[in-house]
Amino acid sequence: MMIFISKYMVPKGFVGITLYPFIFLKRKALKENKVLINHEKTHLKQQLELLIIFFYLFYGIEFLIKLFKYKNAYITYKNLSFEREAYQNEKDFKYLKTRKQWAFINYL
């Protein structure tokens, strides 16, 4: 895992984004935010287990389907299986050690 600081790589309204094998953060101080880093590490695991390309395909398809349902991009984002898993477990610093493969499916 490599962490980079780039306000240009991180979309407006967000503080971090993970593009395997990198985590991009909007500001240097965010490197100290253990909850945020744990959240992004969950995305690294998800991306790796789906061979990276299938993660982005699945993410995009799920986003489009749920956008049709919720008609709001932010609500859609918060309800994506990958995000739900990461948000619900971001404060559990042991989660990634015990996480079962394909765990995001439990959050669909």
Side-chain angles (χ1 to χ4, degrees), residues 62-80 84:
E62 185 180 4
F63 188 89
L64 291 174
I65 290 168
K66 290 187 175 179
L67 182 60
F68 183 75
K69 175 181 179 180
Y70 295 113
K71 299 184 182 16
N72 177 293
Y74 183 74
I75 293 171
T76 297
Y77 160 78
K78 293 293 271 189
N79 280 284
L80 295 175
R84 290 180 63 211

Side-chain angles (χ1 to χ4, degrees), residues 20-81:
Y20 190 87
F22 309 111
I23 295 174
F24 294 93
L25 301 175
K26 193 162 273 206
R27 295 180 308 281
K28 187 176 183 179
L30 293 168
K31 279 182 154 183
E32 306 306 317
N33 185 329
K34 294 184 185 325
V35 172
L36 172 62
I37 299 302
N38 202 44
H39 176 103
E40 298 303 334
K41 283 182 178 180
T42 300
H43 290 317
L44 286 173
K45 285 267 196 181
Q46 295 164 338
Q47 291 172 13
L48 192 57
E49 74 188 2
L50 287 171
L51 306 175
I52 302 156
I53 188 69
F54 295 109
F55 170 85
Y56 294 110
L57 287 171
F58 195 107
Y59 197 104
I61 291 167
E62 185 180 4
F63 188 89
L64 291 174
I65 290 168
K66 290 187 175 179
L67 182 60
F68 183 75
K69 175 181 179 180
Y70 295 113
K71 299 184 182 16
N72 177 293
Y74 183 74
I75 293 171
T76 297
Y77 160 78
K78 293 293 271 189
N79 280 284
L80 295 175
S81 58

